[in-house]
Amino acid sequence: MKKTIGIILFASLNVFVFSSCKKRFTCSCTYNNNVVYTADLGKQTQSDAQNICDTNVNRVPGETWICTLH
């Protein structure tokens, strides 16, 4: 029983620790299949990097840019 509880606690801790890891992300945006914007976002969580990528791009009204994280 103690061994099972220990394994569950260890697995839960790993999920918590690795789910909030910061990685290095790059934002690249394309327009008409041409890359028109690329930025190194540094170490971020994925959700923070996605927010930065989506909001900090200089977009022209009426154009549809596709921005992705790498």
Side-chain angles (χ1 to χ4, degrees):
M1 185 67 172
K2 285 184 180 181
K3 193 174 194 179
T4 304
I5 293 173
I7 291 171
I8 292 171
L9 288 174
F10 179 75
S12 299
L13 180 63
N14 281 334
V15 168
F16 176 74
V17 168
F18 290 113
S19 66
S20 63
C21 285
K22 292 184 177 183
K23 291 176 40 181
R24 185 174 273 310
F25 286 101
T26 302
C27 175
S28 64
C29 299
T30 59
Y31 176 71
N32 288 338
N33 295 324
N34 295 315
V35 176
V36 293
Y37 176 80
T38 302
D40 180 15
L41 302 178
K43 286 192 172 186
Q44 305 275 337
T45 61
Q46 185 171 3
S47 62
D48 289 344
Q50 187 66 54
N51 288 337
I52 292 169
C53 187
D54 290 340
T55 59
N56 288 344
V57 176
N58 294 326
R59 298 179 188 193
V60 176
E63 294 181 354
T64 303
W65 290 26
I66 299 170
C67 296
T68 56
L69 290 177
H70 304 281

